Amino acid sequence: MRRSKAVSALALLTGAALVLSACGGGGSTGGTDQGEQQNSDPGKIGGQDELFKRPKVDDIGEIAVAIEEGFHNYNNNIGATNNFSSTIALSNVQPSPYITDLVDGKFVIKIDGDLMESIKVTSSDPQVIEWKVNKAAVWSDGAPIDCKDFHLKWLAATSKATVKGDDGSEASIFDSSPTGYENIEKLECSDNGKTITTSFFKDKPFADYRALFSQVGSDGLLPAHVLEQKTGVADITKVLPSQNDETVKKVAEFYTKGWLGFDPAVALSGGPYLIESSDLKDQTVLVRNPKWWGEKPAASKVVLKTNTDAQSAAQQLQNKEVVVIAPQADPAVAQQLRGDSSFKVYAAGGQTYEHVDFNMDRPLFKNNKELRLAVAQCFDRQDLVEKLVKDVDPNAKPLGSFTFMPNEVGYEDHYGDVGNGDVAAAKKTLDDAGWKQGGDGIYTKGEFRASFKIGHKTVQRRADTVRILQDKCRQAGIEIIDDQAADFNDKRLPASEFDAALFAWVGQPLKAGAFGNYAQKEKGGSANYNNYDSAVVTEKWQAANGELDFQKRITMMNDVDKQMREDLHSVPLFQLTDFAASTADIGPISYIGVGGGVTWNLYAWQIKK
């Protein structure tokens, strides 16, 4: 899964301005050096981030790439979708004002200079951002990419129209996170729609403004003119967030359902590639977008082949069925390919992190904090790292935070007292709370039995993870049952159909985006799948999102993480290694999770002749 999603007279340099060490390639493993601050003052009035334009490259013809999960939905920006696997294709299809680049082994946020002429801060009090879209920028049907597309995203995120959930609670009719967008008081169009001005409420600046409308905030632009055509709405910019009428309901209906799956009639491209076809499972085909106005991307056709098995993907690479693979990091595969000069391996600690969430709606966990603690105590995270990660990334350690990764500025370990496979501590926690160990060795207390299922996607490493976690916890009188399913991430996880869930968030250097993973559902927690309900975390994170002082915000985000440790609704396991491998003649191959994984720079791949 994804989402976890920016400096000074303006002081907008915040968590968004952290860069991540990500060295690697050529068979080497990246280190975990401390990150640095990028662009120390990009938000000064009249200033802006660096513009990036895609390079002129040679034609490399058709290629195939093996990925570990297939494309699912064209609209990946709603709570019901929000799947990293879809970004593998969409990162080169949907327009994004801000994108990521890899410079000297570090992730750097830049302006997409093909899409945008500029993005500038024009005022600090109140905060005002001016977005100028390239006049040549068009969708693959020839319609302009313009203010309508920005307005639609703002509308979807901030609409006051709601719908009642199964439990009777009110939720956004657009199923979209309001983070950052709700700080915008007005969005204005000018210059024939090519200039967008976002004016923020005077008391609500947004530090991570670079997350808005962009991949780096787990968002992107959708073709608003298609929605107009399908709904009969003449001008989407006339539909306002304050509306709660039939018109906005019609818009929301198409927004949340009309772009699900893949339909070439509505799944347009505003990037270098377009999706030619997809079976939404095993294969997705990208071809050059004939309306693309920038430099022609390298490959004429890219076939994305789904392969959930790392060993099998490596075999595809060796058999020359594919030229690049991006499976779950696998120690045996990494060692095998590193030992052959015909291949190159990229491995580095990234922003994706593995964790176990307790479903806080299940009485077993909701009513028994001591059980959550005991489970966290018996989890042996060091054993996980030693057996599953070290051979890929020797620098790997158990993860101690949900808000920062170990190679980011601001990282503090708040979970060092749990996750150490401490059987005695786990048993004492349960004993002290009145739990009794039964004849079968499992603890019980009243109606509750210390037994639960961990749901996860069918991936060998996750099955191995559950097996390792089961060992010490069984010794502690806690039964863990493996509950895997091929469609777990796509269906059961967003539907909260699990006791506990083992999965990964694809994190961001922009910290505001992760708000939707942990905030209260009625306050913007659109991806809060384990039903965590903390007003304290919601309020603290909201405050941090508006703090423009870099150092203060680091402290505030760590306070958020400390509160989550106190509540123990989830246990961080380890930082996943960004992993990819390729034939030695193609490159540059690397991996940026927030940019679409291995395909983030697909447009620039070249084959040595």
Side-chain angles (χ1 to χ4, degrees), residues 428-509:
K428 184 176 187 305
T429 295
L430 294 177
D431 288 334
D432 290 350
W435 290 71
K436 303 297 181 184
Q437 202 162 10
D440 60 356
I442 305 303
Y443 275 93
T444 60
K445 181 181 179 181
E447 64 185 286
F448 299 111
R449 186 170 184 265
S451 173
F452 63 95
K453 296 178 180 179
I454 292 185
H456 63 88
K457 187 174 71 173
T458 304
V459 173
Q460 185 59 48
R461 195 197 67 248
R462 292 207 170 116
D464 291 341
T465 297
V466 173
R467 177 179 51 77
I468 292 169
L469 296 178
Q470 285 173 324
D471 181 32
K472 291 287 179 65
C473 288
R474 177 73 195 197
Q475 295 176 43
I478 298 170
E479 180 181 54
I480 296 175
I481 301 166
D482 190 10
D483 177 25
Q484 57 183 299
D487 63 354
F488 181 80
N489 282 8
D490 186 36
K491 294 183 179 179
R492 288 179 52 195
L493 181 63
S496 301
E497 294 176 357
F498 57 83
D499 293 337
L502 167 63
F503 67 105
W505 282 125
V506 179
Q508 305 276 356

Side-chain angles (χ1 to χ4, degrees), residues 130-147:
E130 179 189 77
W131 316 69
K132 283 187 173 290
V133 182
N134 187 338
K135 289 178 171 53
V138 294
W139 292 99
S140 50
D141 64 355
I145 298 172
D146 60 16
C147 190

Side-chain angles (χ1 to χ4, degrees), residues 540-558:
K540 283 180 177 285
W541 205 316
Q542 283 176 326
N545 288 345
E547 177 51 63
L548 305 182
D549 182 279
F550 178 69
Q551 293 299 333
K552 287 182 180 178
R553 191 168 190 230
I554 285 179
T555 299
M556 295 169 77
M557 291 305 300
N558 274 308

Side-chain angles (χ1 to χ4, degrees), residues 315-336:
Q315 191 66 52
Q316 285 181 299
L317 186 65
Q318 292 167 324
N319 293 343
K320 299 183 179 180
E321 299 170 44
V322 298
V323 294
V324 176
I325 63 173
Q328 294 273 340
D330 182 279
V333 168
Q335 301 292 9
Q336 173 187 350

